[in-house]
Amino acid sequence: MNKKYYLFCLLLFISIEMFSQVAVPFAVRRQMYVKGDMAMIANNIVNRKDFFNSPNSPYDKIDDKAKLNDQFDMQYVDIDDDKSTFSSSSANLILETPTNKKIVYAGLYWSATYTTNSSKNSRTNVFKAVDGTREAFDRIKIKLPNESLYNDIQGKLIFDGHEKPNFKESAPYAMYADITELVKKLNSPTGTYTVANIKSTVGTISGGVSGGWSILFIYEDANMTGKFITTYDGFAGVTKTAVDINFSGFQTLPNGIINAKIACAALEGDLNLLGDQIYFKSEFGKEFSNIS
């Protein structure tokens, strides 16, 4: 029986109006062989606020009339009814036969546009800071399944566009933290994960306010096939001009059927904007395949 070898790519990128480039080259974060697989959960940390809806009410229009985040007053999602947090959102990790699963790696990522604490559109295409402060964004909180208290997390910087001329207009950042040991202590890794206190601009900025988080889990299961999993992270600005993101260091068997699975995370990707998409091809491939 041929082993299935799976590829995992974690991409953090943002749509910028006038510029496209790989700001931080994508490099291997973790690489391992497991009998098991991977899973990912994620959620937004900001959402529209209007006369009829709070940010905690999902915006789930998926037709051609769905608005862009540029067109909304974007504010923090905060679901936890906890005065110690200013933002919070959650997602559920669901695994089949969870008693057979053992988490061997859990990587937490968070990212947002963060020019200032808050901003408004004073007139057409003119954005003015309401609160010009820009605070540290490397410390957040996470509440694990079946726990009542938050854990404090300090992350490692992947990218900060605040002082980069080509990214300064929306000032995106991306952070990473290894939370494997926290997850391993749980009786069961499945259930609700809540992430809080992610910093983002709120209000309106050029290009739109955006922010959120994702967690990648790699797990073992003796009943599953073997897989070689590689995680990458970096930061690329993407516009109407395509950007090539090159990966290396991923090995497959020289013979037999190879199945590839790709997972990714993107900051900003409006439904009705053309060009927000990912294509993939191998070194020897002639054409790109559209990933959906």
Side-chain angles (χ1 to χ4, degrees):
M1 180 181 294
N2 291 318
K3 294 178 179 178
K4 295 180 180 178
Y5 275 57
Y6 282 63
L7 166 67
F8 172 81
C9 307
L10 180 70
L11 314 181
L12 289 164
F13 56 84
I14 180 171
S15 298
I16 308 292
E17 288 188 358
M18 298 300 294
F19 193 74
S20 300
Q21 78 164 31
V22 177
V24 178
F26 286 74
V28 173
R29 174 69 67 178
R30 291 296 292 267
Q31 199 168 51
M32 61 181 69
Y33 174 82
V34 296
K35 277 193 169 185
D37 209 329
M38 65 183 184
M40 177 183 277
I41 61 174
N43 209 342
N44 291 338
I45 205 68
V46 288
N47 191 17
R48 61 85 183 86
K49 178 182 179 181
D50 57 30
F51 184 79
F52 300 102
N53 300 281
S54 79
N56 289 2
S57 302
Y59 183 76
D60 49 13
K61 286 184 69 68
I62 54 173
D63 57 23
D64 57 4
K65 295 181 180 179
K67 292 183 178 181
L68 311 180
N69 58 355
D70 313 43
Q71 298 170 285
F72 286 121
D73 173 16
M74 300 287 283
Q75 299 292 327
Y76 285 122
V77 176
D78 194 9
I79 65 163
D80 63 6
D81 196 26
D82 185 333
K83 293 182 179 179
S84 71
T85 67
F86 57 83
S87 71
S88 60
S89 63
S90 65
N92 296 327
L93 175 63
I94 301 172
L95 300 173
E96 293 184 4
T97 59
T99 55
N100 297 335
K101 307 293 191 291
K102 177 185 177 182
I103 300 295
V104 293
Y105 172 71
L108 168 64
Y109 291 83
W110 65 98
S111 184
T113 51
Y114 191 34
T115 58
T116 59
N117 276 343
S118 61
S119 176
K120 68 177 182 179
N121 192 349
S122 56
R123 58 184 188 275
T124 305
N125 294 324
V126 177
F127 300 87
K128 181 180 180 181
V130 177
D131 178 354
T133 308
R134 193 177 193 261
E135 302 170 359
F137 47 77
D138 61 333
R139 294 180 182 271
I140 63 170
K141 295 177 178 289
I142 185 169
K143 188 188 299 181
L144 304 178
N146 300 313
E147 293 191 351
S148 59
L149 299 177
Y150 279 103
N151 298 275
D152 293 322
I153 301 293
Q154 182 167 11
K156 297 179 180 179
L157 181 68
I158 296 174
F159 176 72
D160 183 9
H162 187 248
E163 298 302 328
K164 306 291 190 298
N166 293 311
F167 291 89
K168 193 171 183 177
E169 186 176 38
S170 51
Y173 72 82
M175 299 292 300
Y176 162 82
D178 187 332
I179 59 169
T180 306
E181 295 308 312
L182 283 176
V183 177
K184 281 184 175 180
K185 293 177 182 177
L186 298 173
N187 291 329
S188 172
T190 57
T192 302
Y193 290 76
T194 305
V195 179
N197 286 2
I198 293 177
K199 288 284 187 181
S200 170
T201 298
V202 293
T204 57
I205 60 173
S206 178
V209 171
S210 183
W213 57 271
S214 60
I215 305 175
L216 165 73
F217 301 91
I218 299 176
Y219 57 84
E220 292 179 340
D221 185 332
N223 298 315
M224 300 182 73
T225 57
K227 301 174 182 70
F228 187 64
I229 301 176
T230 304
T231 77
Y232 301 81
D233 53 45
F235 198 96
V238 180
T239 61
K240 294 178 182 178
T241 303
V243 176
D244 290 333
I245 301 172
N246 297 314
F247 300 93
S248 61
F250 177 72
Q251 301 295 320
T252 64
L253 292 172
N255 300 300
I257 298 173
I258 304 299
N259 295 309
K261 180 193 288 187
I262 299 173
C264 62
L267 172 67
E268 172 78 297
D270 289 295
L271 177 67
N272 288 325
L273 281 183
L274 299 178
D276 288 355
Q277 54 199 1
I278 298 175
Y279 292 87
F280 178 84
K281 81 175 186 68
S282 69
E283 179 182 2
F284 304 105
K286 293 182 179 180
E287 296 183 359
F288 284 91
S289 297
N290 188 9
I291 297 176
S292 63

